[in-house]
Amino acid sequence: MLLVQVLFSNTSYAQSDRVYDQNANGWYMYFGDHRFTDKWGIHTEAQLRRNHIIKDPQQLLLRTGINYDLTPAAMFTLGYGYIETHPYGDYPAADKFPEQRIYQQLQVKGSLGRLGLNHRYRLEQRWVKQPGAEDYTFLNRARYMVKALLPLAGNTLEVKEPFLAVYDEVFVGFGKHVKHNIFDQNRAYIALGYKLSNTTSFELGYLNQFIQKANGVVFESNHTLQVSIFHNLNFAAQE
């Protein structure tokens, strides 16, 4: 939170100039990391994001990537994402607009007692075509997420057992096209999960997405139902 406060202090707008928008959203998501050799694999991801929980469109996000295991606890990913954002909320965009994105990512796994930890560091190069614009605008963004999983039935997480999941992720924009929102957004999440099998787990939770728009004036607090399926296959083990 100290980082968020420091980033807020860089904006040129006074507190009294800010306006706040709250929305109820639903994000329905699939994540897959599938290994083909001892070191190499692919990432697959699809997210259907809806406004008013499920009634209206908010975003479609499709993401893929090539995974490489640096060590048993560290994985690097180089990937591509396509995002289509629709108007929503009290201060909507003029129309839906596309974004194309390249990203580089490092994930490092660890543990603290019974707690499983995952640190994710991501850099994004984003090409965003705002409504009415002829060309894409190039933007840079850095993201850091720490996620913790706590088994609820024992010291380790086994098949057909529940768990608690929490994470926080901060987004920071940088580069010449950043306007008034060096701080881009923060996501805080808590969920109940269930390990269905050795390859599949499920999470049902609440996400608070706090966004500062590019104009530095509009802030969103999005209360979000998040439904996630994680499906990871190891084809290398079948050789």
Side-chain angles (χ1 to χ4, degrees):
M1 291 305 295
L2 177 61
L3 175 60
V4 172
Q5 291 173 2
V6 170
L7 293 171
F8 277 173
S9 70
N10 289 331
T11 183
S12 60
Y13 292 92
Q15 178 76 31
S16 60
D17 293 322
R18 297 174 181 171
V19 294
Y20 293 89
D21 181 20
Q22 295 196 52
N23 298 285
N25 298 326
W27 291 5
Y28 309 96
M29 307 183 293
Y30 164 85
F31 302 91
D33 286 303
H34 310 303
R35 187 191 301 269
F36 289 96
T37 73
D38 290 340
K39 293 287 188 180
W40 295 93
I42 63 168
H43 176 76
T44 56
E45 181 178 341
Q47 299 190 29
L48 183 64
R49 299 175 174 179
R50 305 288 292 183
N51 186 226
H52 301 117
I53 306 299
I54 199 168
K55 179 183 175 184
D56 300 313
Q58 182 199 18
Q59 270 187 334
L60 171 67
L61 186 150
L62 303 173
R63 187 155 38 211
T64 189
I66 302 296
N67 295 331
Y68 181 75
D69 287 343
L70 300 169
T71 72
M75 182 172 70
F76 176 78
T77 304
L78 174 64
Y80 167 80
Y82 174 80
I83 301 92
E84 184 177 81
T85 301
H86 292 252
Y88 70 95
D90 292 337
Y91 303 90
D95 200 353
K96 67 179 181 180
F97 61 92
E99 175 183 342
Q100 302 197 56
R101 184 184 300 175
I102 296 173
Y103 69 97
Q104 304 82 41
Q105 176 176 287
L106 176 66
Q107 294 186 81
V108 180
K109 296 180 180 179
S111 62
L112 184 63
R114 296 171 56 203
L115 206 62
L117 298 174
N118 183 26
H119 300 269
R120 189 177 75 189
Y121 309 85
R122 182 182 291 174
L123 286 175
E124 297 176 330
Q125 298 81 50
R126 308 167 61 206
W127 288 265
V128 181
K129 191 173 184 181
Q130 296 292 350
E134 294 184 3
D135 299 317
Y136 284 83
T137 299
F138 176 69
L139 299 166
N140 289 287
R141 190 165 66 184
R143 300 166 56 169
Y144 168 69
M145 183 186 80
V146 57
K147 183 174 183 178
L149 264 63
L150 178 66
L152 295 178
N155 291 328
T156 60
L157 181 58
E158 306 297 336
V159 172
K160 296 185 178 179
E161 289 185 354
F163 59 90
L164 179 69
V166 296
Y167 74 68
D168 192 82
E169 184 173 18
V170 63
F171 296 58
V172 178
F174 64 95
K176 68 177 183 178
H177 290 127
V178 171
K179 295 181 180 179
H180 305 289
N181 63 327
I182 295 174
F183 167 77
D184 183 89
Q185 61 178 281
N186 190 83
R187 298 178 182 176
Y189 170 79
I190 184 167
L192 286 174
Y194 190 77
K195 187 172 181 178
L196 297 167
S197 70
N198 286 325
T199 63
T200 309
S201 62
F202 170 83
E203 292 181 16
L204 175 66
Y206 166 77
L207 173 77
N208 181 266
Q209 182 192 30
F210 185 71
I211 302 174
Q212 180 180 201
K213 295 295 187 119
N215 60 20
V217 174
V218 177
F219 290 77
E220 288 184 7
S221 182
N222 295 324
H223 304 287
T224 305
L225 170 69
Q226 193 161 293
V227 182
S228 306
I229 292 288
F230 300 85
H231 187 221
N232 303 320
L233 299 175
N234 187 352
F235 295 103
Q238 302 173 15
E239 295 179 353

